[in-house]
Amino acid sequence: MAHSALKSASLKTEPVLYSIFHKAETEYRQIEQMFLMLGWGRLPAELKLAIEDDVKGYIDELHGTYCTSCPLVQRRRESIDFWVSSYTDGVCTLDTAVDALKVKRL
């Protein structure tokens, strides 16, 4: 009896898990495409992870669900451009760029 209940529960969760994985895969592809569009496709994973939420914001803006009129958003974007350029131009190390761009959470 317990085995059939477990099997039934497993069958019900598989479509949910498939949906979650599909959504994650779609989001990953969109983010990678945005990195490519920005010319940042070859950035190291550590740097991409430091700015991933910001890149999601770029995607939301293109879809019309996000506004960049906030001066704080503009400053963050300028900071990202500065540190990514500094890294790609060899002005700073990867660690320096990642540390500068990490969002300090409270």
Side-chain angles (χ1 to χ4, degrees):
M1 198 60 134
H3 177 68
S4 67
L6 182 60
K7 186 175 180 179
S8 176
S10 175
L11 290 175
K12 290 178 184 176
T13 58
E14 284 182 21
V16 173
L17 289 176
Y18 177 76
S19 174
I20 291 169
F21 289 134
H22 179 70
K23 182 178 177 183
E25 182 181 17
T26 300
E27 183 177 282
Y28 173 79
R29 275 188 269 132
Q30 286 179 335
I31 293 169
E32 283 301 311
Q33 183 178 15
M34 181 58 74
F35 274 115
L36 290 172
M37 287 173 34
L38 292 166
W40 299 344
R42 293 186 178 196
L43 290 178
E46 299 93 337
L47 192 50
K48 285 182 174 182
L49 286 172
I51 60 175
E52 179 180 14
D53 287 338
D54 301 286
V55 172
K56 287 179 188 178
Y58 295 174
I59 294 167
D60 289 343
E61 182 179 4
L62 287 176
H63 291 147
T65 59
Y66 189 74
C67 178
T68 59
S69 62
C70 173
L72 295 175
V73 172
Q74 290 299 329
R75 274 197 301 233
R76 172 68 180 173
R77 288 185 175 185
E78 290 168 6
S79 180
I80 291 168
D81 288 339
F82 173 82
W83 287 108
V84 168
S85 293
S86 294
Y87 169 73
T88 57
D89 293 345
V91 175
C92 73
T93 65
L94 174 61
D95 288 340
T96 300
V98 169
D99 287 343
L101 291 171
K102 278 185 186 174
V103 175
K104 281 72 174 174
R105 308 235 186 233
L106 295 176

